[in-house]
């Protein structure tokens, strides 16, 4: 009984090894190697993998029509368009994560990050495999985020840009504060990924608002104004917190 389950386990391994061309086949029993060869024959058709076809589709900025014209020259090699569509759906978080109204489109941050982790780990599987179980439980995903002060969380007519920007920042930061560690099992290993999000995708306007700098002519880091700019002798105090607005 135990032996049987071990064999099944190995068979699972070999499926993965074949896909990623892991050079570990030699350790396995001949029965399993036979299985593996069958597996290879199964997937060894000369067709572009759906994920690669999607990658080409997106990188080349193809339209459906363009893809279908390309495909018509080699229908065996290029997967059907609907397969690409399905592959693309896997890139998005689950349907319940979205909320779309007339004024707002929103994705649940936790779901978005959970999904991102799953996709990344799948992509980085060979690397993750080389880590030990302890390290896999201590992963950290550092994500950057930002805003442009033009989205409004609730549909409100507000003309004070600083308020809108700071409201946006605190709205996201509240969500970041409640983020939970992403835990899961992929293939044969379990993992935990902690989230760190840094507010770096910002422009000068957002920085000014976040640091309560009223004038666009004033440096938001050291507070220098245009009359100080040519004075190279002047050394302004820099508040390090201003270099990391999300720490404010
Ligand atoms: Zn400065």
């Amino acid at each position: 009984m135990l032996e049987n389950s071990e064999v099944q386990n190995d068979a699972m391994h070999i499926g993965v090894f074949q896909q990623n061309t892991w050079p570990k086949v030699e350790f396995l029993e001949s029965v399993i190697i036979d299985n593996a060869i069958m597996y290879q024959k199964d997937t060894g058709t000369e067709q572009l993998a759906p994920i690669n076809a999607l990658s080409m589709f997106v990188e080349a900025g193809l339209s459906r029509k363009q893809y279908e014209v390309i495909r018509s020259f080699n229908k065996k090699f290029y997967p059907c368009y609907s397969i690409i569509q399905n592959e693309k759906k896997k890139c998005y978080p689950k349907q319940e994560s979205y909320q779309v109204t007339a004024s707002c489109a929103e994705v649940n941050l936790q779901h978005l990050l959970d999904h991102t982790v799953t996709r990344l780990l799948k992509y980085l599987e060979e690397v993750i495999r080389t880590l030990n179980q302890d390290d896999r439980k201590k992963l950290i995903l550092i994500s950057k985020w930002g805003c442009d002060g033009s989205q409004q969380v609730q549909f409100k007519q507000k003309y004070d840009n600083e308020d809108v920007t700071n409201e946006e920042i605190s709205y996201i930061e509240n969500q970041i504060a409640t983020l939970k560690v992403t835990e899961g099992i992929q293939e044969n290993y379990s993992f935990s990924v902690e989230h760190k999000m840094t507010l770096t995708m910002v422009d000068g306007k957002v920085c000014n608002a976040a640091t309560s700098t009223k004038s666009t002519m004033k440096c938001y880091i050291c507070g220098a104004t245009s009359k100080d700019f040519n004075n190279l002798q002047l050394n302004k105090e820099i508040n390090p917190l201003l270099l990391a607005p999300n720490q404010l």
Side-chain angles (χ1 to χ4, degrees), residues 219-224:
C219 170
Y220 60 82
I221 294 170
C222 68

Side-chain angles (χ1 to χ4, degrees), residues 117 138-142 180-182 192-196:
V117 163
K138 281 189 252 160
L139 298 169
I140 299 174
L141 178 68
I142 303 172
K180 292 189 191 78
V181 170
T182 303
S192 312
V193 183
E194 195 189 306
H195 296 286
K196 267 199 182 133

Side-chain angles (χ1 to χ4, degrees), residues 44-56:
T45 46
E46 295 284 308
Q47 196 182 55
L48 197 58
I51 187 75
N52 291 335
L54 174 64
S55 167
M56 181 200 79

Side-chain angles (χ1 to χ4, degrees), residues 68-82:
E68 272 165 359
V69 170
I70 293 169
R71 184 175 179 255
S72 69
F73 286 89
N74 193 343
K75 288 199 172 180
K76 265 195 174 147
F77 183 68
Y78 294 106
C80 172
Y81 180 75
S82 63

Side-chain angles (χ1 to χ4, degrees), residues 108-120:
N108 180 298
L109 185 63
Q110 182 78 55
H111 291 180
L112 181 65
L113 290 174
D114 288 349
H115 185 77
T116 305
V117 163
T118 319
R119 295 288 296 181
L120 271 176

Side-chain angles (χ1 to χ4, degrees), residues 10-25 28 35-44 49-52 87 90 121-123 125-126 129 186-188:
D10 280 346
M12 256 164 80
H13 273 289
I14 207 160
V16 178
F17 291 152
Q18 281 299 328
Q19 258 178 342
N20 294 317
T21 59
W22 268 58
K24 290 203 174 164
V25 180
L28 301 158
N35 283 345
I37 292 164
M38 275 175 64
Y39 179 86
Q40 198 172 32
K41 270 185 192 158
D42 239 23
T43 55
I51 187 75
N52 291 335
E87 196 63 29
K90 292 183 199 163
L121 290 187
K122 202 167 201 172
Y123 180 71
E125 199 184 313
E126 288 191 29
R129 217 169 252 286
Q186 197 136 315
E187 303 296 341
N188 293 318

